[in-house]
Amino acid sequence: MKRAALWITLIGLFFPAISRADQSVKIGSKRFTESYILAEIIVGLIEANGGSANHEQGLGATAVAFRALQDGQIDALPEYTGTLAEAIVQSHDGRLESLRAALAPKGFSISDPIGFQNTYALAVTKKNAASSSLATIDDLKAHADLKFGLSNEFVGRADGWPGLSAKYDLHPKNISSMDHALSYEAIARGTVDVVDAYTTDAKIARYDLLTLIDNRAFFPPYDAVLVYRSDLPNRSPAFAKMLTQLPHLIDEDAMRKMNARAELDHVSFAQVASDFLAEKNGGVAKASGTRESFAHGLWNAIVQYGPRHLELVLVALFFSTLLGVPLGILAYANPRAGGAILAITGIVQTIPSLALFCFFIPVLGIGVVPALAALFLYGLLPIVRNTHAGLSSIASDLREAAVALGLTAMERLRYVELPLASRTILAGVKTSAVVAVGSATIAAFIGAGGFGEPISTGLSLNDVPIILQGAIPAAGLALLVQGFFELVEARVLPRSLR
């Protein structure tokens, strides 16, 4: 009983996000500027109506964010009717009534339109449009040599490149996929000629781009709406009141200006939303002012995201060591099984990081738990391999001496072999810890937090200082972890083994 109570206590410490129930309304957002701003506006409206709400920021692409809604990890999510029709309902009928009918049996409802559309488009520079006579998407067929730079999600969506290229019979010779925020820099530098864009993107005007006319009407309507859990209005009167204020709240011009303030003027998402709501209520938006210093932003990132990042690393490392050392011992003791153990842990290490993180989403949802599962698996190989290597490298005459002393196999392992292999095993644990620090930055892409949060936000805004506010603390933590293990090695290991 005491042991069970101890484990319950440890789980409560390791997974505080799970053990504490949050009664506020959780508004999610996907990983792009407009979604962040819309979520902040909704949070502001709920709070203005006397409720409590918080923003679960940057939950990744559509599939990840909607899974969070399904699992109850968020209560509501800004979305677009076209995206719901194609990616969630798998239907080309983007009418609001049809979407409501399709989602109601799953326990979801949809607000009335917020007031603007943000549809997909293909964009080219006005200079290229003039020189190549480009006005419609059909015109691209005559220019197969143009280089296309398309966002990762657009490349994989049915209402994105696969459907569009089939509809217009487009077969360009050069297509590359990239993060949406980076595509504007790529077209500005001439690295690519055609990019996909959202019609409310602020950078369309900044980079003097022309959106090509969808003359075959491929793209469905993309009215901005709020999709939410059907029981939420009953649970939160403030949310119910907010729903009556949301329809036609934001027009396309207002949304484009808000995106510009965030992306071009570097105003925080929360400030942009607050100023918009103040203007709606007859107030005046604050001036953009000066951006906070890099040092101040760096310190805020360390304080805000450091504890979660450290938690992810320590918990994953604990379980990787707990299983990795016994697996390494088994691989050493049983060579036949050892080959399979080393091969399996080696294969796991070859899986791309983001793919491994997302692999657990269908089973474990999003957030801390799938992130820990992925980090745990990534941490196994260095520990297993170093444990096996350390035990295998022990000189045969030392083993023979232990046998001559009459020690049993377990006694030899405990008193001779493991101590002799301890330096190599500790080196494996150290490598696993450093790898976990870097890999944990990807956890933010599935809603687990950590230093990946500012990196993700910085990528969305193509803002290098914000990216560095996550990257520098992560690198610093990796150095601290390495220094800690070197200190442990100097203090714990016998001098003869150092």
PDB file of all heavy atoms in Angstrom, residues 149-173:
ATOM      1  N   GLY A 149       6.584  26.925 -54.111  1.00  0.00           N
ATOM      2  CA  GLY A 149       6.924  26.711 -52.703  1.00  0.00           C
ATOM      3  C   GLY A 149       5.642  26.666 -51.893  1.00  0.00           C
ATOM      4  O   GLY A 149       5.033  27.709 -51.631  1.00  0.00           O
ATOM      5  N   LEU A 150       5.198  25.479 -51.526  1.00  0.00           N
ATOM      6  CA  LEU A 150       3.881  25.292 -50.916  1.00  0.00           C
ATOM      7  C   LEU A 150       4.013  24.858 -49.462  1.00  0.00           C
ATOM      8  O   LEU A 150       4.931  24.114 -49.109  1.00  0.00           O
ATOM      9  CB  LEU A 150       3.079  24.244 -51.698  1.00  0.00           C
ATOM     10  CG  LEU A 150       2.964  24.494 -53.210  1.00  0.00           C
ATOM     11  CD1 LEU A 150       2.216  23.351 -53.884  1.00  0.00           C
ATOM     12  CD2 LEU A 150       2.268  25.826 -53.484  1.00  0.00           C
ATOM     13  N   SER A 151       3.091  25.324 -48.628  1.00  0.00           N
ATOM     14  CA  SER A 151       3.136  24.979 -47.204  1.00  0.00           C
ATOM     15  C   SER A 151       2.874  23.490 -47.019  1.00  0.00           C
ATOM     16  O   SER A 151       2.183  22.846 -47.817  1.00  0.00           O
ATOM     17  CB  SER A 151       2.120  25.796 -46.421  1.00  0.00           C
ATOM     18  OG  SER A 151       0.800  25.471 -46.800  1.00  0.00           O
ATOM     19  N   ASN A 152       3.413  22.951 -45.932  1.00  0.00           N
ATOM     20  CA  ASN A 152       3.321  21.507 -45.691  1.00  0.00           C
ATOM     21  C   ASN A 152       1.874  21.035 -45.624  1.00  0.00           C
ATOM     22  O   ASN A 152       1.528  19.985 -46.180  1.00  0.00           O
ATOM     23  CB  ASN A 152       4.039  21.170 -44.375  1.00  0.00           C
ATOM     24  CG  ASN A 152       5.512  21.508 -44.441  1.00  0.00           C
ATOM     25  OD1 ASN A 152       6.234  21.017 -45.289  1.00  0.00           O
ATOM     26  ND2 ASN A 152       5.968  22.361 -43.546  1.00  0.00           N
ATOM     27  N   GLU A 153       1.009  21.793 -44.939  1.00  0.00           N
ATOM     28  CA  GLU A 153      -0.384  21.369 -44.820  1.00  0.00           C
ATOM     29  C   GLU A 153      -1.097  21.456 -46.162  1.00  0.00           C
ATOM     30  O   GLU A 153      -1.879  20.577 -46.516  1.00  0.00           O
ATOM     31  CB  GLU A 153      -1.113  22.216 -43.779  1.00  0.00           C
ATOM     32  CG  GLU A 153      -2.528  21.725 -43.512  1.00  0.00           C
ATOM     33  CD  GLU A 153      -3.169  22.369 -42.297  1.00  0.00           C
ATOM     34  OE1 GLU A 153      -2.514  23.197 -41.635  1.00  0.00           O
ATOM     35  OE2 GLU A 153      -4.333  22.043 -42.009  1.00  0.00           O
ATOM     36  N   PHE A 154      -0.821  22.504 -46.943  1.00  0.00           N
ATOM     37  CA  PHE A 154      -1.467  22.672 -48.243  1.00  0.00           C
ATOM     38  C   PHE A 154      -1.128  21.517 -49.180  1.00  0.00           C
ATOM     39  O   PHE A 154      -1.971  21.062 -49.954  1.00  0.00           O
ATOM     40  CB  PHE A 154      -1.025  24.000 -48.860  1.00  0.00           C
ATOM     41  CG  PHE A 154      -1.726  24.356 -50.142  1.00  0.00           C
ATOM     42  CD1 PHE A 154      -3.014  24.848 -50.134  1.00  0.00           C
ATOM     43  CD2 PHE A 154      -1.080  24.201 -51.367  1.00  0.00           C
ATOM     44  CE1 PHE A 154      -3.661  25.184 -51.321  1.00  0.00           C
ATOM     45  CE2 PHE A 154      -1.705  24.535 -52.552  1.00  0.00           C
ATOM     46  CZ  PHE A 154      -3.003  25.025 -52.531  1.00  0.00           C
ATOM     47  N   VAL A 155       0.102  21.031 -49.084  1.00  0.00           N
ATOM     48  CA  VAL A 155       0.531  19.925 -49.952  1.00  0.00           C
ATOM     49  C   VAL A 155      -0.246  18.651 -49.646  1.00  0.00           C
ATOM     50  O   VAL A 155      -0.522  17.844 -50.539  1.00  0.00           O
ATOM     51  CB  VAL A 155       2.045  19.676 -49.782  1.00  0.00           C
ATOM     52  CG1 VAL A 155       2.471  18.370 -50.423  1.00  0.00           C
ATOM     53  CG2 VAL A 155       2.832  20.825 -50.393  1.00  0.00           C
ATOM     54  N   GLY A 156      -0.651  18.464 -48.386  1.00  0.00           N
ATOM     55  CA  GLY A 156      -1.288  17.210 -48.005  1.00  0.00           C
ATOM     56  C   GLY A 156      -2.798  17.230 -47.957  1.00  0.00           C
ATOM     57  O   GLY A 156      -3.425  16.185 -47.779  1.00  0.00           O
ATOM     58  N   ARG A 157      -3.425  18.388 -48.090  1.00  0.00           N
ATOM     59  CA  ARG A 157      -4.875  18.487 -47.942  1.00  0.00           C
ATOM     60  C   ARG A 157      -5.586  18.267 -49.264  1.00  0.00           C
ATOM     61  O   ARG A 157      -5.124  18.696 -50.317  1.00  0.00           O
ATOM     62  CB  ARG A 157      -5.255  19.855 -47.379  1.00  0.00           C
ATOM     63  CG  ARG A 157      -4.931  20.014 -45.917  1.00  0.00           C
ATOM     64  CD  ARG A 157      -5.212  21.399 -45.414  1.00  0.00           C
ATOM     65  NE  ARG A 157      -6.549  21.872 -45.739  1.00  0.00           N
ATOM     66  CZ  ARG A 157      -7.235  22.721 -44.979  1.00  0.00           C
ATOM     67  NH1 ARG A 157      -6.710  23.146 -43.858  1.00  0.00           N
ATOM     68  NH2 ARG A 157      -8.429  23.126 -45.342  1.00  0.00           N
ATOM     69  N   ALA A 158      -6.761  17.633 -49.186  1.00  0.00           N
ATOM     70  CA  ALA A 158      -7.548  17.394 -50.398  1.00  0.00           C
ATOM     71  C   ALA A 158      -7.995  18.703 -51.031  1.00  0.00           C
ATOM     72  O   ALA A 158      -8.089  18.819 -52.260  1.00  0.00           O
ATOM     73  CB  ALA A 158      -8.767  16.527 -50.067  1.00  0.00           C
ATOM     74  N   ASP A 159      -8.266  19.718 -50.180  1.00  0.00           N
ATOM     75  CA  ASP A 159      -8.654  21.017 -50.719  1.00  0.00           C
ATOM     76  C   ASP A 159      -7.434  21.892 -50.970  1.00  0.00           C
ATOM     77  O   ASP A 159      -7.568  23.102 -51.186  1.00  0.00           O
ATOM     78  CB  ASP A 159      -9.624  21.725 -49.771  1.00  0.00           C
ATOM     79  CG  ASP A 159      -9.019  21.983 -48.391  1.00  0.00           C
ATOM     80  OD1 ASP A 159      -8.097  21.242 -48.012  1.00  0.00           O
ATOM     81  OD2 ASP A 159      -9.472  22.915 -47.701  1.00  0.00           O
ATOM     82  N   GLY A 160      -6.254  21.289 -50.953  1.00  0.00           N
ATOM     83  CA  GLY A 160      -5.016  21.987 -51.246  1.00  0.00           C
ATOM     84  C   GLY A 160      -4.458  21.562 -52.586  1.00  0.00           C
ATOM     85  O   GLY A 160      -5.189  21.420 -53.573  1.00  0.00           O
ATOM     86  N   TRP A 161      -3.148  21.303 -52.614  1.00  0.00           N
ATOM     87  CA  TRP A 161      -2.481  21.055 -53.880  1.00  0.00           C
ATOM     88  C   TRP A 161      -2.983  19.803 -54.626  1.00  0.00           C
ATOM     89  O   TRP A 161      -3.154  19.873 -55.855  1.00  0.00           O
ATOM     90  CB  TRP A 161      -0.977  20.972 -53.663  1.00  0.00           C
ATOM     91  CG  TRP A 161      -0.216  20.684 -54.926  1.00  0.00           C
ATOM     92  CD1 TRP A 161       0.475  19.566 -55.246  1.00  0.00           C
ATOM     93  CD2 TRP A 161      -0.116  21.551 -56.062  1.00  0.00           C
ATOM     94  NE1 TRP A 161       1.018  19.666 -56.499  1.00  0.00           N
ATOM     95  CE2 TRP A 161       0.662  20.882 -57.031  1.00  0.00           C
ATOM     96  CE3 TRP A 161      -0.615  22.818 -56.354  1.00  0.00           C
ATOM     97  CZ2 TRP A 161       0.958  21.451 -58.256  1.00  0.00           C
ATOM     98  CZ3 TRP A 161      -0.315  23.386 -57.589  1.00  0.00           C
ATOM     99  CH2 TRP A 161       0.467  22.694 -58.519  1.00  0.00           C
ATOM    100  N   PRO A 162      -3.236  18.672 -53.984  1.00  0.00           N
ATOM    101  CA  PRO A 162      -3.697  17.496 -54.748  1.00  0.00           C
ATOM    102  C   PRO A 162      -4.963  17.777 -55.559  1.00  0.00           C
ATOM    103  O   PRO A 162      -5.033  17.435 -56.752  1.00  0.00           O
ATOM    104  CB  PRO A 162      -3.949  16.443 -53.657  1.00  0.00           C
ATOM    105  CG  PRO A 162      -3.050  16.830 -52.540  1.00  0.00           C
ATOM    106  CD  PRO A 162      -3.051  18.335 -52.550  1.00  0.00           C
ATOM    107  N   GLY A 163      -5.960  18.397 -54.939  1.00  0.00           N
ATOM    108  CA  GLY A 163      -7.193  18.698 -55.659  1.00  0.00           C
ATOM    109  C   GLY A 163      -7.033  19.823 -56.649  1.00  0.00           C
ATOM    110  O   GLY A 163      -7.576  19.788 -57.762  1.00  0.00           O
ATOM    111  N   LEU A 164      -6.261  20.848 -56.248  1.00  0.00           N
ATOM    112  CA  LEU A 164      -6.077  22.006 -57.123  1.00  0.00           C
ATOM    113  C   LEU A 164      -5.325  21.633 -58.395  1.00  0.00           C
ATOM    114  O   LEU A 164      -5.717  22.032 -59.504  1.00  0.00           O
ATOM    115  CB  LEU A 164      -5.319  23.093 -56.360  1.00  0.00           C
ATOM    116  CG  LEU A 164      -5.089  24.408 -57.110  1.00  0.00           C
ATOM    117  CD1 LEU A 164      -6.392  25.179 -57.238  1.00  0.00           C
ATOM    118  CD2 LEU A 164      -4.040  25.266 -56.404  1.00  0.00           C
ATOM    119  N   SER A 165      -4.259  20.864 -58.255  1.00  0.00           N
ATOM    120  CA  SER A 165      -3.474  20.487 -59.440  1.00  0.00           C
ATOM    121  C   SER A 165      -4.283  19.613 -60.387  1.00  0.00           C
ATOM    122  O   SER A 165      -4.135  19.719 -61.617  1.00  0.00           O
ATOM    123  CB  SER A 165      -2.188  19.762 -59.012  1.00  0.00           C
ATOM    124  OG  SER A 165      -2.490  18.601 -58.258  1.00  0.00           O
ATOM    125  N   ALA A 166      -5.147  18.760 -59.824  1.00  0.00           N
ATOM    126  CA  ALA A 166      -6.008  17.924 -60.680  1.00  0.00           C
ATOM    127  C   ALA A 166      -7.067  18.773 -61.384  1.00  0.00           C
ATOM    128  O   ALA A 166      -7.353  18.569 -62.569  1.00  0.00           O
ATOM    129  CB  ALA A 166      -6.665  16.838 -59.834  1.00  0.00           C
ATOM    130  N   LYS A 167      -7.650  19.715 -60.640  1.00  0.00           N
ATOM    131  CA  LYS A 167      -8.705  20.564 -61.206  1.00  0.00           C
ATOM    132  C   LYS A 167      -8.179  21.403 -62.362  1.00  0.00           C
ATOM    133  O   LYS A 167      -8.841  21.571 -63.404  1.00  0.00           O
ATOM    134  CB  LYS A 167      -9.250  21.481 -60.109  1.00  0.00           C
ATOM    135  CG  LYS A 167     -10.357  22.421 -60.549  1.00  0.00           C
ATOM    136  CD  LYS A 167     -11.691  21.735 -60.558  1.00  0.00           C
ATOM    137  CE  LYS A 167     -12.813  22.746 -60.759  1.00  0.00           C
ATOM    138  NZ  LYS A 167     -14.148  22.097 -60.731  1.00  0.00           N
ATOM    139  N   TYR A 168      -6.958  21.939 -62.200  1.00  0.00           N
ATOM    140  CA  TYR A 168      -6.406  22.838 -63.204  1.00  0.00           C
ATOM    141  C   TYR A 168      -5.394  22.148 -64.125  1.00  0.00           C
ATOM    142  O   TYR A 168      -4.823  22.802 -64.992  1.00  0.00           O
ATOM    143  CB  TYR A 168      -5.722  24.022 -62.513  1.00  0.00           C
ATOM    144  CG  TYR A 168      -6.683  25.071 -62.005  1.00  0.00           C
ATOM    145  CD1 TYR A 168      -7.161  25.023 -60.705  1.00  0.00           C
ATOM    146  CD2 TYR A 168      -7.120  26.112 -62.825  1.00  0.00           C
ATOM    147  CE1 TYR A 168      -8.036  25.991 -60.218  1.00  0.00           C
ATOM    148  CE2 TYR A 168      -7.989  27.086 -62.364  1.00  0.00           C
ATOM    149  CZ  TYR A 168      -8.456  27.022 -61.052  1.00  0.00           C
ATOM    150  OH  TYR A 168      -9.316  27.976 -60.587  1.00  0.00           O
ATOM    151  N   ASP A 169      -5.161  20.853 -63.911  1.00  0.00           N
ATOM    152  CA  ASP A 169      -4.202  20.111 -64.727  1.00  0.00           C
ATOM    153  C   ASP A 169      -2.821  20.762 -64.703  1.00  0.00           C
ATOM    154  O   ASP A 169      -2.188  20.997 -65.736  1.00  0.00           O
ATOM    155  CB  ASP A 169      -4.714  20.003 -66.177  1.00  0.00           C
ATOM    156  CG  ASP A 169      -3.925  18.963 -66.989  1.00  0.00           C
ATOM    157  OD1 ASP A 169      -3.433  17.988 -66.367  1.00  0.00           O
ATOM    158  OD2 ASP A 169      -3.806  19.138 -68.214  1.00  0.00           O
ATOM    159  N   LEU A 170      -2.356  21.042 -63.484  1.00  0.00           N
ATOM    160  CA  LEU A 170      -1.058  21.673 -63.299  1.00  0.00           C
ATOM    161  C   LEU A 170       0.013  20.616 -63.039  1.00  0.00           C
ATOM    162  O   LEU A 170      -0.175  19.732 -62.203  1.00  0.00           O
ATOM    163  CB  LEU A 170      -1.105  22.648 -62.123  1.00  0.00           C
ATOM    164  CG  LEU A 170      -2.055  23.851 -62.249  1.00  0.00           C
ATOM    165  CD1 LEU A 170      -2.070  24.646 -60.952  1.00  0.00           C
ATOM    166  CD2 LEU A 170      -1.654  24.734 -63.422  1.00  0.00           C
ATOM    167  N   HIS A 171       1.136  20.718 -63.744  1.00  0.00           N
ATOM    168  CA  HIS A 171       2.232  19.765 -63.573  1.00  0.00           C
ATOM    169  C   HIS A 171       3.575  20.504 -63.567  1.00  0.00           C
ATOM    170  O   HIS A 171       4.404  20.331 -64.471  1.00  0.00           O
ATOM    171  CB  HIS A 171       2.214  18.720 -64.696  1.00  0.00           C
ATOM    172  CG  HIS A 171       0.924  17.969 -64.795  1.00  0.00           C
ATOM    173  ND1 HIS A 171       0.572  16.974 -63.909  1.00  0.00           N
ATOM    174  CD2 HIS A 171      -0.115  18.108 -65.675  1.00  0.00           C
ATOM    175  CE1 HIS A 171      -0.615  16.500 -64.239  1.00  0.00           C
ATOM    176  NE2 HIS A 171      -1.064  17.166 -65.301  1.00  0.00           N
ATOM    177  N   PRO A 172       3.810  21.343 -62.559  1.00  0.00           N
ATOM    178  CA  PRO A 172       5.088  22.065 -62.509  1.00  0.00           C
ATOM    179  C   PRO A 172       6.259  21.108 -62.297  1.00  0.00           C
ATOM    180  O   PRO A 172       6.125  20.062 -61.666  1.00  0.00           O
ATOM    181  CB  PRO A 172       4.905  23.009 -61.319  1.00  0.00           C
ATOM    182  CG  PRO A 172       3.876  22.354 -60.471  1.00  0.00           C
ATOM    183  CD  PRO A 172       2.943  21.651 -61.410  1.00  0.00           C
ATOM    184  N   LYS A 173       7.412  21.504 -62.799  1.00  0.00           N
ATOM    185  CA  LYS A 173       8.590  20.647 -62.704  1.00  0.00           C
ATOM    186  C   LYS A 173       9.276  20.740 -61.342  1.00  0.00           C
ATOM    187  O   LYS A 173       9.993  19.836 -60.936  1.00  0.00           O
ATOM    188  CB  LYS A 173       9.601  21.042 -63.801  1.00  0.00           C
ATOM    189  CG  LYS A 173       9.074  20.862 -65.222  1.00  0.00           C
ATOM    190  CD  LYS A 173      10.088  21.366 -66.243  1.00  0.00           C
ATOM    191  CE  LYS A 173       9.551  21.243 -67.665  1.00  0.00           C
ATOM    192  NZ  LYS A 173      10.524  21.790 -68.651  1.00  0.00           N
TER     193      LYS A 173
END
